[in-house]
Amino acid sequence: MSVLPLVFTSGWASGINAYAVVLLLGLFGATGLTDEVPEALQRTDVLIAAGVLFLIEAVADKVPYVDNVWDSVHTVIRPVAGAVVAALLAGESGSLPELAAGAVGGTTALMSHLVKAGTRMAVNTSPEPFSNIAISTGEDLAVAGVITFAIFHPVAAAVIAAVLLALGIWLVVFLASRIRRFRRRRAQRREERRLAAAGGGRPVDRSVGGGR
């Protein structure tokens, strides 16, 4: 079977948490659960580095506004990681050209990264930190679950990843429109209060006829 479904799924997951993807695939390959993971991802130094970076991201991704900075830094890292992982997977299976696989993985990773970053920007308009923790934990669980499922059922996992990506894009567009509407209303209320305050503070006209 073509490795394309696994390439697509790994790209989607890399856009959310690239370190988790590298760590999970490497562990699955090292433990013998699958033969489709290249040796490069199973190396001990790669697994250690991915594990350390995953732990750092697990903390940074749950802190309001820190997650926005982290996402900005990873705007390049996640798509590149998605492309590299996809190319390695294609090279291991030989069923898909590496360049094409890299393009699919990188593009999918970029799209899911933009969804993740846009969602976090919307969530950070709320002052409480619990929503960040809940969403970040949900993303980690989704990546782990879908990647694990993709090892045994790659086509079904790719369908799930595509649905989640489409829902994420819709959610970002919906939240962006709601936030713009909220900001317009808030700006309008501020302007109304300013005009009301300016009107109430005008001096009384005591010119001819005004003081009678």
Side-chain angles (χ1 to χ4, degrees):
M1 183 180 294
S2 172
V3 76
L4 182 58
L6 184 57
V7 163
F8 179 86
T9 304
S10 65
W12 168 82
S14 295
I16 299 174
N17 194 325
Y19 306 123
V21 174
V22 174
L23 180 61
L24 286 170
L25 290 178
L27 289 175
F28 290 151
T31 55
L33 288 177
T34 178
D35 297 329
E36 295 189 6
V37 178
E39 293 290 337
L41 297 179
Q42 302 179 37
R43 290 169 40 182
T44 303
D45 56 338
V46 172
L47 292 176
I48 292 175
V52 171
L53 291 170
F54 169 74
L55 292 176
I56 295 174
E57 175 155 334
V59 176
D61 200 47
K62 294 174 177 59
V63 181
Y65 301 108
V66 173
D67 57 352
N68 292 149
V69 176
W70 187 265
D71 286 338
S72 298
V73 172
H74 285 74
T75 301
V76 176
I77 296 175
R78 287 170 182 157
V80 170
V84 171
V85 170
L88 289 174
L89 291 172
E92 183 72 12
S93 70
S95 62
L96 182 69
E98 296 180 27
L99 184 59
V104 172
T107 302
T108 307
L110 177 60
M111 294 175 64
S112 62
H113 164 75
L114 293 177
V115 168
K116 173 187 173 72
T119 303
R120 289 308 179 82
M121 291 180 66
V123 169
N124 281 337
T125 58
S126 175
E128 45 79 27
F130 304 108
S131 55
N132 295 74
I133 297 174
I135 291 178
S136 177
T137 303
E139 289 172 347
D140 293 341
L141 293 175
V143 167
V146 173
I147 287 294
T148 302
F149 189 57
I151 295 299
F152 305 100
H153 306 281
V155 176
V159 172
I160 293 174
V163 171
L164 291 175
L165 180 60
L167 289 175
I169 293 173
W170 173 84
L171 179 62
V172 169
V173 173
F174 174 75
L175 290 175
S177 64
R178 293 294 297 270
I179 290 173
R180 285 196 299 267
R181 188 181 308 170
F182 170 76
R183 288 178 175 175
R184 284 197 300 267
R185 290 177 178 175
R186 185 172 62 178
Q188 184 178 1
R189 287 195 295 267
R190 287 179 176 176
E191 181 66 15
E192 290 174 353
R193 288 196 296 268
R194 186 186 67 82
L195 292 175
R202 289 177 182 173
V204 178
D205 183 12
R206 298 187 179 279
S207 58
V208 177
R212 297 178 181 178

